Amino acid sequence: MRLFLALTTLLLSPSLAFAHSGGHAGGFVHGFEHPIGGIDHVLAMVAVGVFAFVLGGRALWAVPLSFVGMMLVGFLLRSAHIGLPHVELGIALSSFAIGALAAAGRSLPVSLAAVLVGIFAVFHGHAHGAEMPADASGLTYGLGFLVATGLLHVAGIGVTAGVAKLVGRHGTAMARLTGGALTLCGVGVLAGWL
């Protein structure tokens, strides 16, 4: 419950602190709101947290950090006017694929898991760049979506860890089941239901 309250406070704080749009503050707010404003982004970023939890160990920080880093690469590509084919499809596939990896529960090398989530992150970053308001600072806008993404990863890890602790010895199975649910949600995104 404390984790939920802390995350809720963090999610609401930037909106309260930067109530005016435009400029640096508006850039941060717009950037922060973009990942949490679309179900396709939310599902994928939470799936990264669930996947990291299922893998455990170094993956708890390496997999989310890879996603954030490669999302920045996608944003920089878009900022440099470098196109990327099938961006929306890549985003739609991300929650499906990352959820399926978590559901499979196979022990992947952390480096391979980081590369896999990083590929999908490039599409997310490119989309964030395409949505940046013309009057926003790229630096503050980028910082906004990076912070929101990190919080969604932490939420995925935290909620999964909390549920796993509640169910005890069946915690890993429950985490994998959560990955399966995210895969089904990914199907909904691909089919246009969500």
Side-chain angles (χ1 to χ4, degrees):
M1 185 59 157
R2 286 186 219 162
L3 178 63
F4 176 76
L5 290 173
L7 287 174
T8 302
T9 301
L10 283 173
L11 287 171
L12 294 177
S13 295
S15 296
L16 297 173
F18 302 116
H20 302 288
S21 60
H24 295 296
F28 181 87
V29 171
H30 284 291
F32 189 88
E33 291 174 344
H34 192 254
I36 60 176
I39 190 72
D40 50 354
H41 293 298
V42 171
L43 289 171
M45 293 169 192
V46 170
V48 168
V50 173
F51 182 41
F53 177 84
V54 168
L55 293 176
R58 290 185 316 123
L60 285 171
W61 61 266
V63 169
L65 191 59
S66 172
F67 191 97
V68 170
M70 292 307 291
M71 191 172 60
L72 182 57
V73 169
F75 174 71
L76 293 174
L77 288 172
R78 178 63 175 97
S79 296
H81 305 291
I82 298 171
L84 191 63
H86 312 295
V87 170
E88 290 303 320
L89 179 60
I91 291 169
L93 283 171
S94 61
S95 58
F96 173 81
I98 297 168
L101 288 168
R106 296 231 165 113
S107 182
L108 291 176
V110 173
S111 57
L112 177 59
V115 167
L116 291 172
V117 299
I119 290 168
F120 289 112
V122 172
F123 292 106
H124 286 268
H126 201 275
H128 293 324
E131 297 292 325
M132 185 173 79
D135 67 339
S137 158
L139 179 63
T140 56
Y141 179 82
L143 182 61
F145 72 73
L146 292 174
V147 168
T149 298
L151 289 173
L152 287 168
H153 292 331
V154 168
I157 293 168
V159 169
T160 307
V163 169
K165 187 173 182 174
L166 283 174
V167 298
R169 64 188 176 116
H170 301 293
T172 302
M174 187 60 89
R176 291 177 60 194
L177 186 61
T178 303
L182 288 164
T183 301
L184 290 176
C185 289
V187 171
V189 170
L190 284 167
W193 306 329
L194 296 177

